[in-house]
Amino acid sequence: MRKLIIASILLLTPLLATASSGEVHLESAGIDLADQASSQRGAKYFANYCMGCHSLKHMRYNRMAADLGIPETELRQNLIFNGAKPGELMAASMRADDGEKWFGTAVPDLTLVTRWRSPDWVYTYLKSFYADPTRPYGVNNIVFPDVGMPHVLQGLQGEQRAVYAEAHAAEG
């Protein structure tokens, strides 16, 4: 019975991830795993913009560096900011209880988020923040409405404003 439940969960996870995107059109992330320079930039942006709050607690720094062709000296200089050693797991700088206090929920680990949601979901999510003065951090997200996360990439993307259109019901 236990195996059946686990198998059902594993089979339904992709359907749940698809359903979670709702009516939002997901943009193509256009991922090219052979583009090592792009992957290295992604690691840099994650370390600089995401890792203060989010961890990759199922990944070691040196494994990431080996996968992306990053020499250990560059790894230590440019991607490890918390005094960790290259063989350690990629833990967030923020304590879990601080995340709950500041954001209203535990800040999730992102190790497997692209497998759970999809690279296109993550790409669209990161691009879909917009100004919303009713939210605690002044932003909301089309893909994940009422998310408790600030728009950490606003300095790179700029401020997006929502554009509303009036919808009219078809007359019958």
Side-chain angles (χ1 to χ4, degrees):
M1 181 65 167
R2 185 176 173 187
K3 288 182 182 179
L4 179 62
I5 292 171
I6 292 172
S8 297
I9 291 170
L10 291 175
L11 291 173
L12 289 175
T13 299
L15 295 175
L16 293 173
T18 302
S20 68
S21 66
E23 298 295 320
V24 176
H25 170 73
L26 299 180
E27 296 181 48
S28 173
I31 293 182
D32 178 3
L33 295 175
D35 188 347
Q36 195 173 60
S38 176
S39 297
Q40 290 172 353
R41 283 191 305 277
K44 175 185 78 171
Y45 288 129
F46 181 84
N48 283 293
Y49 292 96
C50 306
M51 204 158 172
C53 299
H54 296 281
S55 63
L56 294 176
K57 66 183 178 184
H58 301 289
M59 174 68 73
R60 296 185 186 281
Y61 284 101
N62 58 0
R63 178 59 204 228
M64 177 206 53
D67 289 347
L68 302 180
I70 300 170
E72 188 173 320
T73 54
E74 288 183 32
L75 172 69
R76 288 178 183 267
Q77 290 173 353
N78 301 320
L79 297 173
I80 300 177
F81 305 121
N82 60 1
K85 294 182 174 133
E88 291 182 32
L89 296 171
M90 298 176 70
S93 301
M94 184 175 59
R95 295 185 323 215
D97 56 333
D98 286 338
E100 287 192 43
K101 181 171 65 175
W102 297 334
F103 304 113
T105 186
V107 177
D109 172 76
L110 299 180
T111 309
L112 300 173
V113 75
T114 56
R115 289 186 184 180
W116 175 44
R117 298 278 194 173
S118 84
D120 294 342
W121 186 94
V122 173
Y123 179 72
T124 306
Y125 168 75
L126 290 172
K127 291 180 63 181
S128 296
F129 281 90
Y130 63 93
D132 182 350
T134 67
R135 300 292 303 147
Y137 291 99
V139 293
N140 208 334
N141 192 286
I142 292 173
V143 176
F144 195 141
D146 299 332
V147 68
M149 180 176 142
H151 183 18
V152 296
L153 301 178
Q154 185 171 344
L156 298 174
Q157 182 185 20
E159 185 177 274
Q160 309 297 308
R161 299 222 173 257
V163 176
Y164 299 97
E166 239 180 83
H168 300 283
E171 293 184 29

